[in-house]
Amino acid sequence: MTTILNVITDAVRTAFVLAGYDAELGRVSISNRPDLCEYQSNGAMAGAKQYHKKPMDIAGEVVEKLKTMQQGDIVMFSEVSAVMPGFINLNVSEELTTKYLNEMNFHEDLGLDAHEGKKIIIDYGGANVAKPLHVGHLRSAVIGEAIKRMAIQQGNDVIGDVHLGDWGLQMGLIITELEDRGQLDADLEISQLEEIYPFASAKAKAKYEDGPHKGELINPEYAERAHQATLKLQNGDPTYRAVWNKIMKVSIADLKKNYGNLDVHFDLWKGESDAQQYIPGLIQELIDKGLAYESQGALVVDVAEESDAKEIPPCMIRKSDGAALYATSDLGTIVEREKLYHPDEYIYIADSRQSLHYTQFFRVARKAGLVRSEEELRFIGFGTMNGKDGKPFKTREGGVLRLEKLIQETNEKVLERVRASRGEELSEEEAAAIAVRVGLAALKYGDLSNQATKDYIFDIDKFTSFEGNTGPYILYTIVRINSILRKFMQERGVSDDVHVKDYVKAHATDFQILPMKEKSAHDVQMLLTRYQDEINGAWKDLAPHRICSYIYALANNFNSLYHDVKFLSLPEKEKESCMALLMLTFRVLSTCIHILGFGAPERM
């Protein structure tokens, strides 16, 4: 299906041509004044200079053509007007709206033209091995998963890579501490690793606070041993490699469990270590091409461009002590990905404070010809998740909150609300299961409803509320529709064993959506017609928050319709029409929350 915006644009372009003007003037956008009109064209003002005429004269001529514009035997617009200084305001007819919605209902994918066909690698997650996930990992995981699902929905071949931090000094610290404890050969558990790393890190960094050695390391020999252990590991020491493999096995199992609790899933569990075999050849290639040169003992590549608004320093690819850096590892990872996957596009998702790093290594990759000229390299830098004090989110004790604990606290808060609203209707087991699903929606929607690049306040009371712009409110709306459809199914003698979603999938086209007199019905129908445009726009901008805004508006308008119309008390033909509308609304909302990374229970 073509989008509703394209349908309207084609009509307006035709009207401009019929009035004697260039079709390119017939651009249309969703109105930013919905109280005045639904769609708007500014083409008359753009054409005034070209045709040496007043904008209102051009607009008036085009409007006359639009008033009689038809699609088949259907009049396309219920209202068309020219307003100063030359806007063309458009309202779509109910007949065209319902025709479009009935066509959407016939498509399994709701009419989305999903044939983009790119191969895209999405780099998100970025967890460090042997460390627990904390709240700082939430945004990358949640935003990355949503972007991945958006890409898949557009018909792309998508590879999601967690890209683990598994090769740095933390490994040397853990190995050194295990060695000191005589546990190099021992079996490991995640709880041990989570205790050992912060202990070893603090021990290596500890400094004298006063006295003649104030400011000096207390354990310089320990810190040096950790550094040497890292180098030995990276150079292939068999003993250290064996310990590293054990650490990796235990850590990845724990990470998969915790990411799974977020319904976040990766196709690849690669890390910085996978890029190491490509780094020597990469560095030599940069030297041979005259791109890399020595500066104060380090090896760097100039990446500054004349158009830069601020200074971009050279990208360091090897330190003076011979060690590689994050940029080197990321460049080596690109070499590997080009060899194995030949992608058309890369999308990296990380903290916005790393934007310089991505600018630098993207430019090195381009200058060195590591990627084809037509390949896209895109970076989404996200803001921080802050507490109510406006500072990065911490525990009450001031520490970094583990992600597992955040999920648990959110679920407990939701469970309180579920028990308060449903009383004794739900068993403990069902209430707990509902709380897990609703808690995930609260957490993910609370994050994704904010523009990714901006900081936001994490407010557990707000995010778990069943009212307002929240995940639970969206789910409550879906459950409300589910309940109405369930009652309709019971009227039809459908077994209670049949899930509503399965009934909807099988019977979505049994009934026709008809025009309704209620304004709330018109608002729901109009928003439904915009589904493809909203999804396509969100993907184009890599902006999951646009999907959140869309379904919040749709949920609000549906709930207004729910209060205006007693669906199951209507005459049969009108009831069937409403059920078709409810089924389509159910499908659109369910599809959108799946893209955002969560699902709805059958009741709440």
Side-chain angles (χ1 to χ4, degrees):
M1 286 180 67
T2 186
T3 71
I4 193 68
L5 190 58
N6 284 341
V7 170
I8 297 165
T9 299
D10 286 346
V12 175
R13 286 167 61 91
T14 300
F16 267 92
V17 171
L18 291 174
Y21 302 106
D22 186 350
E24 289 301 311
L25 297 173
R27 293 182 293 274
V28 177
S29 61
I30 295 172
S31 172
N32 58 8
R33 287 289 306 274
D35 54 318
L36 298 179
C37 62
E38 296 164 0
Y39 295 90
Q40 193 171 74
S41 173
N42 304 339
M45 289 185 288
K49 185 176 182 180
Q50 181 179 344
Y51 291 97
H52 307 290
K53 297 180 73 171
K54 293 178 181 178
M56 280 297 289
D57 290 343
I58 296 175
E61 294 173 46
V62 174
V63 162
E64 289 305 310
K65 303 298 181 184
L66 286 168
K67 284 179 178 178
T68 56
M69 190 72 65
Q70 292 191 193
Q71 189 182 80
D73 58 353
I74 293 175
V75 175
M76 295 187 66
F77 302 104
S78 60
E79 186 177 349
V80 188
S81 60
V83 296
M84 290 293 290
F87 296 116
I88 298 172
N89 289 353
L90 304 154
N91 285 341
V92 179
S93 71
E94 290 184 340
E95 290 76 18
L96 179 63
T97 298
T98 53
K99 177 187 176 186
Y100 191 86
L101 295 179
N102 286 316
E103 189 177 347
M104 278 179 67
N105 245 340
F106 270 94
H107 290 269
E108 188 175 346
D109 61 359
L110 297 167
L112 190 71
D113 182 18
H115 301 93
E116 198 163 274
K118 291 182 180 179
K119 177 172 280 188
I120 301 174
I121 291 179
I122 303 181
D123 186 312
Y124 67 109
N128 287 311
V129 167
K131 298 181 186 178
L133 292 176
H134 56 74
V135 292
H137 294 106
L138 178 70
R139 300 214 72 188
S140 179
V142 169
I143 296 168
E145 184 70 17
I147 296 293
K148 184 178 78 172
R149 294 182 184 208
M150 289 164 68
I152 291 169
Q153 196 199 28
Q154 294 289 334
N156 294 299
D157 178 10
V158 184
I159 299 170
D161 187 0
V162 67
H163 199 62
L164 297 167
D166 65 348
W167 206 238
L169 180 60
Q170 84 265 26
M171 288 300 169
L173 287 164
I174 293 168
I175 290 170
T176 300
E177 186 59 30
L178 285 170
E179 197 166 33
D180 283 3
R181 297 182 185 188
Q183 295 178 341
L184 280 182
D185 298 323
D187 291 334
L188 298 175
E189 295 182 1
I190 192 65
S191 57
Q192 290 175 272
L193 295 177
E194 290 176 359
E195 178 270 326
I196 286 173
Y197 172 70
F199 177 86
S201 179
K203 186 175 177 180
K205 293 177 182 176
K207 295 181 179 180
Y208 291 101
E209 295 183 3
D210 50 32
H213 299 290
K214 182 179 180 180
E216 295 179 18
L217 289 175
I218 296 173
N219 302 297
E221 179 267 343
Y222 183 86
E224 177 58 25
R225 283 172 53 217
H227 181 71
Q228 290 303 316
T230 305
L231 291 177
K232 285 181 181 179
L233 170 67
Q234 294 177 355
N235 289 328
D237 182 284
T239 301
Y240 288 176
R241 279 293 179 99
V243 179
W244 177 80
N245 282 325
K246 287 195 295 184
I247 294 170
M248 290 293 290
K249 184 177 179 181
V250 171
S251 291
I252 289 177
D254 184 68
L255 287 170
K256 284 185 176 180
K257 181 191 77 173
N258 284 295
Y259 276 124
N261 290 337
L262 278 176
D263 201 5
V264 169
H265 309 280
F266 300 95
D267 305 288
L268 299 177
W269 284 82
K270 287 181 172 286
E272 293 171 338
S273 59
D274 292 286
Q276 300 310 301
Q277 61 181 307
Y278 300 100
I279 287 177
L282 164 70
I283 291 176
Q284 190 60 50
E285 182 179 351
L286 293 174
I287 293 171
D288 292 345
K289 289 182 176 179
L291 296 173
Y293 64 94
E294 261 196 38
S295 174
Q296 298 179 353
L299 202 63
V300 301
V301 175
D302 286 329
V303 293
E305 297 176 356
E306 289 185 9
S307 59
D308 291 334
K310 58 182 180 181
E311 184 180 354
I312 305 294
C315 180
M316 188 184 300
I317 59 169
R318 190 175 65 198
K319 294 168 70 174
S320 56
D321 63 1
L325 296 99
Y326 284 125
T328 330
S329 173
D330 280 336
L331 288 163
T333 300
I334 278 188
V335 173
E336 180 191 49
R337 288 169 175 170
E338 288 294 310
K339 178 181 178 181
L340 298 179
Y341 307 112
H342 311 292
D344 301 300
E345 183 175 339
Y346 292 91
I347 301 173
Y348 292 82
I349 297 151
D351 191 307
S352 59
R353 289 170 289 191
Q354 296 186 42
S355 60
L356 175 61
H357 162 74
Y358 284 95
T359 298
Q360 288 178 316
F361 104 78
F362 282 1
R363 290 185 179 182
V364 174
R366 291 270 184 224
K367 290 183 75 170
L370 303 182
V371 295
R372 303 184 308 279
S373 59
E374 66 271 19
E375 282 181 73
E376 289 188 77
L377 296 168
R378 305 174 75 178
F379 169 61
I380 301 175
F382 54 79
T384 57
M385 183 179 106
N386 298 327
K388 291 182 181 180
D389 59 359
K391 298 177 181 178
F393 197 88
K394 301 282 186 181
T395 63
R396 288 191 181 92
E397 295 75 31
V400 178
L401 184 65
R402 290 180 59 159
L403 190 52
E404 195 172 17
K405 181 67 173 174
L406 180 69
I407 294 171
Q408 179 188 340
E409 290 180 0
T410 305
N411 292 348
E412 288 172 354
K413 191 72 175 179
V414 171
L415 185 57
E416 286 178 22
R417 295 184 184 276
V418 170
R419 283 173 175 159
S421 64
R422 296 304 296 265
E424 303 300 319
E425 293 179 52
L426 302 172
S427 67
E428 284 294 313
E429 185 178 16
E430 186 178 5
I434 290 171
V436 168
R437 298 196 78 176
V438 178
L440 183 62
L443 205 57
K444 285 193 164 185
Y445 190 93
D447 188 296
L448 293 170
S449 58
N450 297 276
Q451 189 171 334
T453 55
K454 295 183 178 179
D455 300 345
Y456 76 93
I457 302 296
F458 181 85
D459 185 336
I460 194 169
D461 293 317
K462 175 185 172 184
F463 289 177
T464 58
S465 174
F466 286 16
E467 299 177 353
N469 188 13
T470 69
Y473 174 72
I474 303 299
L475 296 193
Y476 184 78
T477 304
I478 295 172
V479 169
R480 170 172 276 174
I481 298 171
N482 191 98
S483 176
I484 298 166
L485 291 173
R486 168 66 67 191
K487 291 174 183 175
F488 176 73
M489 290 162 59
Q490 290 168 346
E491 286 182 1
R492 299 271 164 149
V494 178
S495 169
D496 288 343
D497 294 335
V498 177
H499 291 288
V500 168
K501 63 180 181 180
D502 295 327
Y503 180 85
V504 169
K505 185 175 182 179
H507 298 277
T509 59
D510 285 3
F511 316 113
Q512 290 287 301
I513 298 172
L514 302 173
M516 296 173 66
K517 64 180 183 295
E518 292 81 9
K519 181 184 181 302
S520 54
H522 172 77
D523 291 342
V524 169
Q525 292 179 350
M526 183 184 67
L527 277 170
L528 289 171
T529 65
R530 292 181 181 171
Y531 166 75
Q532 294 95 331
D533 287 309
E534 294 290 348
I535 293 297
N536 291 339
W539 167 239
K540 180 183 177 184
D541 296 340
L542 300 182
H545 73 277
R546 290 187 54 176
I547 298 176
C548 294
S549 297
Y550 172 64
I551 60 175
Y552 178 53
L554 181 56
N556 270 340
N557 282 309
F558 173 79
N559 286 316
S560 295
L561 176 60
Y562 172 81
H563 292 295
D564 290 344
V565 178
K566 305 303 179 189
F567 302 112
L568 299 174
S569 301
L570 294 170
E572 194 63 20
K573 187 175 181 180
E574 293 177 40
K575 182 196 294 188
E576 290 179 349
S577 168
C578 284
M579 292 306 107
L581 182 64
L582 263 64
M583 288 184 196
L584 184 57
T585 307
F586 180 85
R587 291 173 66 197
V588 166
L589 289 173
S590 298
T591 301
C592 287
I593 65 171
H594 172 74
I595 297 168
L596 297 175
F598 55 91
E602 290 212 352
R603 61 176 182 160
M604 284 169 63

